Amino acid sequence: MTTRPQIRSGRIALVGSDTEESRLALDSLAERYGNAPPEEADVIVALGGDGLMLQTLHRFMNSGLPIYGMNRGSVGFLMNEYKEEDLLARLGAADVTTIHPLFLQAVDQSGGHHTARAINEVSLLRQTYQAAKLRISVDGRQRLEELICDGCLIATPAGSTAYNLSAHGPILPISAPLLALTPISAFRPRRWRGALLPNRAVVDIEVLEPGKRPVSAAADHTEIRNVAKVSVQEDTGSSCIMMFDQEHGWDERILSEMFRY
């Protein structure tokens, strides 16, 4: 869903990565526009790369505060162009998109229970030289009895241009009510390329032979080792708010990626 931001007080909170480039940008913007505490701000301005943006989105999840990123990193797909001039006007004119993260529930080999949320993707990855063996069910119905692979991932539209794209998964428009289920280096069935699922789907993955073929699960920056089974679904009760300049909004970025290759 895309709307317009509500910049009432003109107060912004600045956050940045640990790089010198980000620190210099933060100091310069703070001198020009101020740097309010997040609880007093209308918007968070994040200075760094995509990693910093993901950290900021997790930090302010469910706060109702929109996050506007400016690229001071290396990739910057989630970021806007860095410009110091007319920042308040840019914020007031920006498109605002609300996204929902994935919710991961995992049980490890010792019976421990874990939860985490992911804005980009939940991935399962082999931990040793041996391929993983996974059994995949969707909404309680077994769909793939055995997938032999390096791993697999479930990506949101927001994350479909990240690891999912590198694993040859499909790019999803940001407003598409879909999730991408994508194998990573599948050995058997070799020709399986994954599936597009409705965003209301619940994906259950069981690790076969977990002692011999250990698997880890990662939700963005959170990793859980030696998982035995996981369940993944969209968390409609949680949300993050992102802001993009109108002339280079998220829909346009994703459409450009579709025709880049």
Side-chain angles (χ1 to χ4, degrees), residues 31-68:
E31 183 176 356
R32 181 177 290 203
Y33 300 103
N35 187 5
E39 60 272 15
E40 298 177 10
D42 294 323
V43 60
I44 307 295
V45 175
L47 304 165
D50 286 348
L52 183 276
M53 187 62 170
L54 284 175
Q55 293 172 11
T56 306
L57 289 168
H58 277 279
R59 176 182 171 187
F60 293 102
M61 188 180 296
N62 297 325
S63 69
L65 285 171
I67 315 297
Y68 180 87

Side-chain angles (χ1 to χ4, degrees), residues 7 10 27 82 119 129 152 160 180 217:
I7 309 298
D27 291 342
Y82 180 79
I119 294 163
Y129 64 91
C152 72
S160 65

